[in-house]
Amino acid sequence: MPAMHSRAPALPLPAAAVPGAPGADWATFRKLLPYLWHYRWRVATALSFLVAAKLANVGVPILLKHLVDALAIPPGDPRALLVVPAGLLIAYAALRLSTTVFTELREIVFAKATEGAARSITLSVFRHLHALSLRFHLERQTGGMTRDIERGTRAVRSLISYSIYSIIPTAIEVGLVLVYLAWKFDAWFAGITLAALVVYIAFTVSLTEWRTQFRRQMNEFDSLSHSRAIDSLLNYETVKYFNNEEFEARRYDENLERLRRATLRSQRTLSLLNTGQQLIIATALVAILWRATQGVVDGRLTLGDLVMVNAFMIQLYVPLNFLGTIYREIKQNLTDLDRMFGLLEREREVADAPDARPLHVEHGVVRFEGVSFSYDPARPILHDLDFEIPAGKTVAVVGPSGAGKSTLARLLYRFYDVSAGRITIDGQDIRAVTQASLRAAIGIVPQDTVLFNDTVEYNIAYGRPGASHDEVVAVARAARIHAFIASTPKGYETMVGERGLKLSGGEKQRVAIARTLLKNPPILIFDEATSALDSANERAIQAELQGVARNKTALVVAHRLSTVVDAHQILVMEHGRIVERGTHNQLLAQAGRYAEMWRLQQSSDADANENARQAMTA
């Protein structure tokens, strides 16, 4: 088929999706905000709980200071018997509990926003992928794309979690501590703390930016190895046909080896980052504690002040220990999310017109008027085609491979838009109607029926989701597959396997016919529906197809001429042009291209029958 041999250039990603593009991270984050805005009241409530939790957390060292000072009584002092700071102990416990309670309340309130945003984005991407053109789906790599969606969905949760649960709480706590230290003690305490924070953050950000290249390589090799594995497993039979198990294993291992090397580089740079962070923190802690110890020795500070300052530093630097990891994860999450948004921003090659209206089918007359088309501008496929399929009639299209026959079906289904001319149904240009209503009016039995890895009943009912079991059985009887289904141990609950591989070609075609019967559209397309079958199955299914097409408008794309002799009109195509047209008898009488094809096929069939007869009598 032309579509399979012609590859158009890949559609470029939006600028924001290119790693390292200026402002790409903020642009990605801004794209996330509308999904969170839907839950703005939950976000506001969660932030209020967050502030309350941090106020309680900052209050713990302050209360600890008063508790230590209250107990700082020389041994033997008679006041020691009277000083039992029960109130401080209770308040300390209450603050500790409050920190936990407010934190959990924040998570409970915000969980719905996080999961809701992740669900909305993932669903939008899923719907958008189904709305993209056939060209995109012919060129995509399923494994890599599904990996991008998985990572993007995970990135939504992680990004929100790190932002709301780590970055914002740490920033609030740092601000509160700096204000308290500057107000309660001299500016040196706040200055040392702030300087250490600035150096720590600058070191972490710069080194993490440098490390991002290794993480990006890891993701690329991970996606590539995943795509290779999926592609190999989907083509299991082909691998077996050519004894290429070891070849596939070597290809897969090459990607795994590249992934291993990238992972090791990432780990080495992570160790460097962690060591540098600890050095900065240790230096700052020594400077702060030296300053506080001097204050105690000079009598300017109490032991409680020393304990409080130490507790403050520990509370600040423990979350900062994870800043490198958090920053790296946020950067990676933004990259992953941007890749998923890149899928969402892929432009629809075939889109409904702004004023598109539903298709109204009264008779079902299909017309191709001056239709030209090319998958690639440099290689035209169809040239100025004109023909009509009258209401309730069957028009067949025959010709050699590559003539453009199957392209007609794809254009009628509007998988692509014509380059010139137009296609109409009852006088309505199919570009002016909604795609949903157009495709609801057309049913297809394709050459290669691909089924879902589900039950036989599910696959038949896919023609009209929600159909009853009795309706499914009725169309299965009409398609002459009910007897086969009933003979299996699980009946209609029989699983058909990946792409329907547990069924034979004839059984899959009958499922496709039943599915189309259930849909019951006014217009039908049979795209070489019997070309892959043996003669006995072909004759049986051809009779069923003729029954299905009775009183419906039908376009039959065929390779074997014996399947179209009863068509109301036969079009003979070569190199994207109609070279002959007429009924079977008329075309034979013309002694042209069709007559030659008929003679060759009849001769080939006669030879095949003779060989089969000789084999049976041998």
Side-chain angles (χ1 to χ4, degrees):
M1 287 180 282
M4 302 305 292
H5 300 299
S6 178
R7 291 179 62 85
L11 297 173
L13 279 172
V18 179
D25 289 344
W26 282 113
T28 303
F29 197 78
R30 283 196 298 270
K31 293 171 193 171
L32 177 61
L33 292 180
Y35 295 94
L36 288 176
W37 183 249
H38 181 70
Y39 302 95
R40 54 191 176 278
W41 297 115
R42 282 185 172 271
V43 174
T45 304
L47 288 175
S48 67
F49 284 135
L50 186 154
V51 172
K54 286 305 167 187
L55 286 172
N57 205 39
V58 170
V60 169
I62 297 173
L63 198 60
L64 191 60
K65 161 199 159 44
H66 292 295
L67 184 60
V68 171
D69 286 341
L71 296 174
I73 300 172
D77 192 314
R79 291 178 299 167
L81 299 175
L82 302 175
V83 179
V84 180
L88 291 176
L89 290 172
I90 294 171
Y92 180 84
L95 282 177
R96 284 288 188 192
L97 180 62
S98 296
T99 301
T100 302
V101 168
F102 284 128
T103 299
E104 294 302 322
L105 285 173
R106 175 202 67 191
E107 294 192 4
I108 290 171
V109 169
F110 205 68
K112 186 173 183 179
T114 303
E115 294 304 319
R119 174 191 174 193
S120 297
I121 295 173
T122 308
L123 183 60
S124 296
V125 172
F126 182 77
R127 283 179 167 158
H128 186 69
L129 289 174
H130 277 293
L132 291 177
S133 70
L134 181 61
R135 192 192 310 274
F136 169 83
H137 288 280
L138 290 176
E139 294 178 350
R140 64 172 165 76
Q141 286 187 304
T142 304
M145 187 181 71
T146 55
R147 205 70 156 185
D148 287 341
I149 296 173
E150 288 170 12
R151 282 200 295 254
T153 304
R154 191 164 57 244
V156 174
R157 297 185 177 93
S158 298
L159 191 59
I160 294 173
S161 176
Y162 286 132
S163 300
I164 302 298
Y165 298 166
S166 298
I167 299 297
I168 294 177
T170 301
I172 291 174
E173 190 166 4
V174 166
L176 291 172
V177 169
L178 288 176
V179 169
Y180 185 83
L181 290 177
W183 169 67
K184 185 68 176 178
F185 307 112
D186 60 66
W188 277 102
F189 285 94
I192 293 171
T193 304
L194 185 59
L197 287 172
V198 171
V199 173
Y200 184 97
I201 292 171
F203 172 77
T204 299
V205 169
S206 60
L207 201 63
T208 303
E209 285 286 349
W210 173 65
R211 291 188 64 247
T212 300
Q213 60 181 311
F214 303 117
R215 182 58 183 264
R216 189 177 296 127
Q217 286 177 357
M218 283 174 56
N219 278 349
E220 289 173 358
F221 293 141
D222 181 46
S223 292
L224 184 57
S225 62
H226 190 68
S227 294
R228 287 280 168 84
I230 292 293
D231 194 38
S232 179
L233 292 172
L234 285 175
N235 292 283
Y236 166 83
E237 292 169 273
T238 305
V239 174
K240 288 293 184 183
Y241 291 153
F242 296 96
N243 295 331
N244 276 339
E245 295 90 342
E246 282 305 311
F247 171 74
E248 290 296 328
R250 284 196 303 272
R251 277 209 321 164
Y252 186 44
D253 188 46
E254 287 171 5
N255 289 289
L256 291 178
E257 173 59 21
R258 286 197 289 264
L259 176 59
R260 184 189 69 85
R261 289 198 296 265
T263 303
L264 290 177
R265 285 195 297 269
S266 179
Q267 182 57 50
R268 285 195 293 268
T269 56
L270 178 60
S271 297
L272 176 63
L273 174 65
N274 290 338
T275 303
Q277 287 175 330
Q278 291 306 312
L279 179 62
I280 295 169
I281 290 174
T283 303
L285 279 174
V286 168
I288 289 277
L289 290 177
W290 175 81
R291 186 77 182 170
T293 303
Q294 282 296 112
V296 173
V297 171
D298 295 342
R300 292 180 288 105
L301 302 178
T302 64
L303 285 175
D305 291 326
L306 177 62
V307 171
M308 179 182 67
V309 169
N310 186 59
F312 272 145
M313 294 304 100
I314 291 173
Q315 283 189 188
L316 284 184
Y317 287 123
V318 166
L320 284 177
N321 272 335
F322 301 102
L323 179 61
T325 301
I326 291 170
Y327 180 75
R328 185 192 71 230
E329 289 299 324
I330 287 177
K331 288 285 291 183
Q332 185 56 45
N333 289 331
L334 286 168
T335 299
D336 292 342
L337 188 58
D338 194 57
R339 288 182 71 88
M340 189 163 74
F341 278 135
L343 291 173
L344 192 58
E345 291 171 359
R346 288 270 194 173
E347 290 188 14
R348 299 182 184 184
E349 187 178 350
V350 178
D352 285 345
D355 58 346
R357 57 191 183 278
L359 174 68
H360 177 65
V361 180
E362 184 175 354
H363 304 292
V365 179
V366 176
R367 282 192 57 82
F368 280 65
E369 302 174 3
V371 169
S372 297
F373 175 73
S374 61
Y375 295 103
D376 185 329
R379 187 187 172 198
I381 301 296
L382 302 178
H383 306 272
D384 197 27
L385 298 187
D386 271 295
F387 66 91
E388 178 182 295
I389 311 175
K393 303 296 183 182
T394 296
V395 169
V397 183
V398 300
S401 297
K405 305 185 301 296
S406 292
T407 300
L408 298 178
R410 290 179 171 183
L411 291 176
L412 180 56
Y413 238 103
R414 212 182 161 208
F415 285 151
Y416 301 95
D417 276 334
V418 298
S419 304
R422 67 175 192 155
I423 302 172
T424 65
I425 297 176
D426 285 344
Q428 303 160 83
D429 191 325
I430 63 173
R431 290 172 297 186
V433 301
T434 62
Q435 294 177 67
S437 65
L438 170 67
R439 290 166 188 158
I442 303 174
I444 186 167
V445 179
Q447 175 182 0
D448 182 20
T449 299
V450 178
L451 304 180
F452 292 96
N453 190 5
D454 210 303
T455 64
V456 173
E457 179 163 2
Y458 175 87
N459 278 281
I460 294 176
Y462 202 78
R464 180 158 51 85
S468 68
H469 176 72
D470 290 341
E471 290 174 314
V472 169
V473 172
V475 296
R477 288 183 188 279
R480 299 185 187 179
I481 195 174
H482 172 74
F484 162 74
I485 298 171
S487 69
T488 59
K490 294 185 178 179
Y492 282 84
E493 293 304 309
T494 299
M495 298 294 292
V496 303
E498 190 86 32
R499 295 180 294 139
L501 292 178
K502 289 184 179 181
L503 303 182
S504 70
E507 289 158 359
K508 286 200 295 184
Q509 289 301 80
R510 285 187 170 92
V511 169
I513 293 169
R515 191 160 59 185
T516 303
L517 281 172
L518 190 62
K519 185 178 182 181
N520 193 29
I523 300 169
L524 293 171
I525 299 173
F526 302 123
D527 187 3
E528 301 198 50
T530 62
S531 63
L533 304 179
D534 58 73
S535 298
N537 268 320
E538 181 188 19
R539 282 192 294 270
I541 290 181
Q542 189 59 37
E544 291 155 16
L545 293 178
Q546 288 174 354
V548 171
R550 190 171 293 114
N551 299 321
K552 292 182 182 291
T553 303
L555 172 67
V556 178
V557 176
H559 177 70
R560 295 181 185 173
L561 304 186
S562 58
T563 63
V564 299
V565 294
D566 295 324
H568 298 94
Q569 185 179 50
I570 300 172
L571 308 177
V572 183
M573 289 187 66
E574 281 189 348
H575 306 299
R577 302 180 189 276
I578 298 173
V579 295
E580 293 177 1
R581 68 177 77 200
T583 64
H584 172 71
N585 291 329
Q586 289 170 344
L587 291 173
L588 288 180
Q590 290 178 19
R593 186 72 182 93
Y594 180 86
E596 181 185 357
M597 292 166 59
W598 176 261
R599 180 180 56 80
L600 289 173
Q601 287 193 12
Q602 290 297 103
S603 175
S604 176
D605 289 346
D607 290 344
N609 290 334
E610 178 61 23
N611 291 336
R613 187 187 65 77
Q614 291 177 2
M616 291 178 66
T617 58

